[in-house]
Amino acid sequence: MNKVGTFPFATESYLLDFRGRITIPTIGNFMLHAASRHAASRGFGFNDMSGKHTAWVLSRMTLAMQEYPVMPSEPLTLHTWISEVNRLFTSRCFEWSDAGGKTLGYAHSTWAAIDMATRRPVMLDVEALNAYLSDRPCPLTRPGKIPAVEDTTPGEPYRVRYSDLDVNGHFNSIKYMEHLLDMFDIDLFRKKEIRRFEIAYLSESKDGMPLTFHKAEAGEGRFHMAVCHEGRAICRAAVVWE
């Protein structure tokens, strides 16, 4: 079996933003879909994990886009592969390409497995996962620590709602992206593009939980962000605009 999964997508008009461009959350959803299908076809997907009372959770993701698809119904190809495995985490990479094979962007993600009852990490089957390791190159590596901003910036209050929840009843990882990007003024989207987006998930949140969203500029076009509960960060992000 090919160690690299290849999945076709298309930029349908309902997936584009007001500029006619595909959004970061939509790209994230495509990547989660591809990762799920790739894992399922190799025996470690959602149903396989559920049978062991465990589940995959996304820990970190870095996305770097060189170019965004802008046309409705433009065909895209997403490649995904496992690049690293250890006892607690596995790394998965992605590469986007257009109909002509031109690379549009890359992503690097880190995943852990947790016990569905205790929500605690469980050891991975390194030997089984190593069978699917690929040496396909990816220019992105595991990101460093994102600086804290919650102690120096005011927070925008938010309470977790129905539409934020995933199948496990926790704040959906893509919803974090949506809410964080909503903190930026719409004029910035008109003038610039997001070239790099990093997000680190530190803890889970549930229905009704009060949160605060924080943002601080950290240099020309770079911002650090945080989602907090009772003053403690449960998610951090960094965005680079050009």
Side-chain angles (χ1 to χ4, degrees), residues 87-140:
R87 294 297 293 171
L88 289 176
F89 294 97
T90 180
S91 295
R92 175 181 289 278
C93 294
F94 303 84
E95 180 181 354
W96 285 96
S97 59
D98 64 12
K102 178 183 177 182
T103 297
L104 303 177
Y106 288 93
H108 179 283
S109 60
T110 304
W111 300 74
I114 62 170
D115 183 286
M116 296 177 67
T118 66
R119 314 302 293 179
R120 300 292 298 171
V122 298
M123 295 293 183
L124 298 176
D125 187 341
V126 175
E127 183 177 356
L129 290 171
N130 274 340
Y132 300 103
L133 275 176
S134 171
D135 59 1
R136 183 184 178 109
C138 177
L140 302 179

Side-chain angles (χ1 to χ4, degrees), residues 37-232:
R37 289 178 59 190
H38 182 260
S41 66
R42 288 152 178 82
F44 52 95
F46 177 83
N47 290 336
D48 303 289
M49 299 292 281
S50 295
K52 302 174 184 177
H53 305 289
T54 59
W56 288 112
V57 292
L58 180 60
S59 175
R60 301 185 72 108
M61 179 184 288
T62 301
L63 172 67
M65 295 298 292
Q66 304 163 19
E67 187 177 327
Y68 285 86
V70 297
M71 296 175 58
S73 300
E74 179 178 352
L76 302 170
T77 301
L78 179 57
H79 308 278
T80 184
W81 62 98
I82 299 173
S83 60
E84 181 185 2
V85 176
N86 60 46
R87 294 297 293 171
L88 289 176
F89 294 97
T90 180
S91 295
R92 175 181 289 278
C93 294
F94 303 84
E95 180 181 354
W96 285 96
S97 59
D98 64 12
K102 178 183 177 182
T103 297
L104 303 177
Y106 288 93
H108 179 283
S109 60
T110 304
W111 300 74
I114 62 170
D115 183 286
M116 296 177 67
T118 66
R119 314 302 293 179
R120 300 292 298 171
V122 298
M123 295 293 183
L124 298 176
D125 187 341
V126 175
E127 183 177 356
L129 290 171
N130 274 340
Y132 300 103
L133 275 176
S134 171
D135 59 1
R136 183 184 178 109
C138 177
L140 302 179
T141 58
R142 189 182 303 169
K145 185 177 180 180
I146 300 174
V149 296
E150 59 271 18
D151 293 333
T152 58
T153 60
E156 295 185 11
Y158 184 81
R159 188 174 294 275
V160 181
R161 301 179 174 94
Y162 159 75
S163 62
D164 295 318
L165 304 177
D166 62 16
V167 68
N168 296 312
H170 294 84
F171 206 129
N172 185 291
S173 57
I174 302 301
K175 284 293 184 177
Y176 279 105
M177 297 180 182
E178 292 181 358
H179 291 306
L180 288 165
L181 293 178
D182 280 345
M183 296 184 71
F184 292 99
D185 190 277
I186 198 167
D187 284 338
L188 190 55
F189 289 92
R190 293 191 177 102
K191 298 174 182 176
K192 296 186 176 183
E193 295 281 12
I194 296 175
R195 291 301 175 207
R196 186 180 178 95
F197 182 90
E198 301 175 23
I199 189 163
Y201 303 97
L202 308 176
S203 183
E204 296 176 310
S205 56
K206 301 179 181 180
D207 178 45
M209 184 177 288
L211 306 176
T212 53
F213 285 73
H214 303 257
K215 179 186 69 175
E217 190 166 4
E220 182 62 30
R222 183 176 180 85
F223 293 83
H224 293 151
M225 312 178 77
V227 181
C228 298
H229 171 60
E230 297 180 344
R232 183 175 63 88

